Amino acid sequence: MGVPLKQAIKVGAYVLKQHLTGNRRYPLVLMLEPLFRCNLACAGCGKIDYPAPILNQRLSVADALEAVDECGAPVVAIAGGEPLLHREMPEIVEKILARDKFIYLCTNALLLEKKIDQYKPHPNFCWDIHLDGDREMHDHAVSQDGVYERAVAAIKLAKAKGFRVSINCTLFDGADPARVAAFLDTVNEIGVDGVMTSPGYAYERAPDQEHFLNRQRTKELFRAIFRYGKERKARGISWKFNQSPLFLDFLAGNQTYKCTPWGNPTRNVFGWQRPCYLLGEGYAKTYKELMETTDWDKYGVGNYEKCADCMVHSGFEATSVVDSVKRPWKLAKLAIQGIRTEGPMAADIPLDKQRPAEFVFSRHVERKMAEIHGQPEPAEPAE
């Protein structure tokens, strides 16, 4: 299992408490984006398409800690952009750990060798290194040669210094299941503590819009990958995923889940992002405002065109975790039988009543640019 026992117990107890107290909407993972600036320009990324004044913005240490305290999620995933470009990141990490939170610090690892001695191994801290497959797959995904080798070297360095290390592997259309399986063998041999995998999400501003997976292709791809996993298991080789087994079962088409956008709330330089990490369709000034004023029923598969093909962990991992706590027998059955890779798939959510996509990116950019330059906020467009 890629998730430490302490984390599994603490998160499980947290979910159970929320359930027993009747709290319907609560966070599991705070997605903290202290900056959008990055030292790569991946073709499938929609997080760096901002004017330079916005890319130059940073959340302060105080901003980051306020978000952690306000939200209260037991796990904090620090993403970006590239978080290691933030000069105060070591202080942010240290002070979040002092709050007894679990941290996954996401990085493309290009700066890790230079920065690693600014951090100390901690049982609640894990480097989460972006690695989208083998050398050819990953270098293509990040649009730069040589990044795979540097990431692997950084993984080995971090492990040698006593850190926990996981990888974040995003898969796109055209991924070869056999190559993905061989890649998972490789990271297993390197000693990676866990793998977080997910289909790529179709960011509306990403340069490459042709290689995002639809839901049917996602299920077929992961079923094929998990077939190789069963073969490996028969030979005594087990891949370690730091995700809920029921989420992996969902990726294989065996669960019908609605997304839980409030499970992974996002705080970035704009504020608290509505409705989720993947869609920026409005921002709240506080976490309380985000939870109380977001019209959650407007979003999700079957509700909104932009969400139609989404099966990403940031939307559905929380759903699967809650399901595993409420229905532990499903988890026990899965542990015994494994992920089903043959036969009919679970019914999918119909899309016939979804509302059409709205495109509001430029409006938010205009507002932020006006704020940066001390100008009046642009007027809302007429209905």
Side-chain angles (χ1 to χ4, degrees):
M1 185 172 79
V3 178
L5 181 60
K6 177 185 175 183
Q7 180 180 331
I9 292 172
K10 187 169 182 177
V11 172
Y14 169 84
V15 172
L16 185 60
K17 179 182 178 181
Q18 303 299 323
H19 178 57
L20 293 175
T21 56
N23 189 5
R24 182 186 169 200
R25 294 186 177 129
Y26 52 89
L28 278 178
V29 179
L30 167 62
M31 306 295 290
L32 186 65
E33 291 183 299
L35 77 172
F36 291 136
R37 174 76 68 185
C38 191
N39 48 3
L40 286 174
C42 306
C45 180
K47 290 287 183 178
I48 59 171
D49 187 21
Y50 294 100
I54 293 178
L55 292 178
N56 290 335
Q57 296 294 299
R58 305 285 189 271
L59 291 183
S60 68
V61 175
D63 290 335
L65 297 178
E66 181 181 42
V68 171
D69 294 340
E70 189 181 2
C71 171
V75 181
V76 180
I78 304 177
E82 171 49 56
L84 295 188
L85 290 171
H86 196 303
R87 292 181 179 178
E88 296 174 305
M89 188 50 56
E91 183 181 356
I92 290 172
V93 167
E94 181 181 359
K95 291 184 175 178
I96 295 175
L97 288 173
R99 285 160 165 76
D100 198 29
K101 304 293 184 180
F102 297 93
I103 296 179
Y104 288 84
L105 181 50
C106 308
T107 174
N108 58 38
L110 292 180
L111 291 172
L112 189 53
E113 182 180 1
K114 178 181 178 181
K115 303 277 190 176
I116 195 166
D117 289 333
Q118 298 176 11
Y119 302 83
K120 297 177 182 178
H122 189 287
N124 287 10
F125 177 80
C126 185
W127 293 107
D128 191 26
I129 294 179
H130 178 206
L131 206 58
D132 290 342
D134 61 29
R135 181 185 294 102
E136 182 181 350
M137 293 168 66
H138 183 64
D139 287 355
H140 175 73
V142 301
S143 308
Q144 185 172 314
D145 292 338
V147 177
Y148 174 87
E149 293 293 351
R150 293 177 67 179
V152 170
I155 291 171
K156 293 178 179 178
L157 174 65
K159 290 298 298 178
K161 287 181 174 288
F163 288 95
R164 289 189 66 249
V165 180
S166 65
I167 65 162
N168 186 334
C169 178
T170 304
L171 299 177
F172 298 90
D173 198 19
D176 177 6
R179 287 182 66 180
V180 174
F183 165 70
L184 293 174
D185 291 342
T186 298
V187 296
N188 206 39
E189 293 165 2
I190 293 172
V192 165
D193 295 286
V195 175
M196 185 181 72
T197 186
S198 185
Y201 175 76
Y203 287 107
E204 66 183 76
R205 306 290 296 189
D208 180 3
Q209 291 289 321
E210 298 179 3
H211 292 94
F212 292 107
L213 289 155
N214 63 37
R215 288 171 73 84
Q216 185 61 33
R217 280 287 299 121
T218 293
K219 297 169 187 178
E220 292 168 354
L221 172 62
F222 279 95
R223 279 199 171 191
I225 292 169
F226 293 149
R227 285 189 199 107
Y228 284 105
K230 287 185 174 182
E231 293 176 6
R232 303 304 200 267
K233 196 166 185 178
R235 293 189 272 123
I237 302 170
S238 293
W239 298 332
K240 291 180 288 187
F241 292 98
N242 59 347
Q243 293 168 288
S244 165
L246 282 174
F247 173 71
L248 301 177
D249 201 44
F250 163 73
L251 291 181
N254 299 323
Q255 302 289 335
T256 302
Y257 282 150
K258 293 183 178 180
C259 90
T260 304
W262 55 85
N264 287 41
T266 298
R267 172 67 162 95
N268 58 34
V269 299
F270 286 94
W272 289 92
Q273 181 168 305
R274 308 181 204 267
C276 69
Y277 176 69
L278 302 168
L279 289 181
E281 304 226 335
Y283 295 87
K285 293 182 179 179
T286 66
Y287 174 74
K288 186 174 186 289
E289 180 187 340
L290 172 77
M291 296 299 289
E292 293 181 354
T293 64
T294 302
D295 187 352
W296 300 106
D297 293 334
K298 290 176 61 177
Y299 302 98
V301 179
N303 295 332
Y304 190 35
E305 186 179 9
K306 286 185 182 180
C307 303
D309 285 321
C310 184
M311 293 182 71
V312 180
H313 62 91
S314 59
F316 295 90
E317 179 83 38
T319 311
S320 67
V321 170
V322 172
D323 194 24
S324 67
V325 173
K326 288 184 176 180
R327 302 171 185 85
W329 58 88
K330 292 176 69 172
L331 204 57
K333 181 180 177 182
L334 194 59
I336 295 169
Q337 299 181 353
I339 296 172
R340 185 167 55 83
T341 57
E342 307 294 341
M345 295 182 181
D348 213 338
I349 298 171
L351 304 178
D352 57 310
K353 295 182 180 179
Q354 66 183 6
R355 66 186 176 94
E358 297 179 31
F359 298 96
V360 295
F361 177 89
S362 59
R363 195 185 313 164
H364 300 313
V365 171
E366 288 170 6
R367 286 199 192 108
K368 188 64 180 178
M369 291 293 286
E371 176 189 320
I372 291 170
H373 295 300
Q375 299 170 348
E377 185 174 301
E380 288 287 340
E383 295 291 337

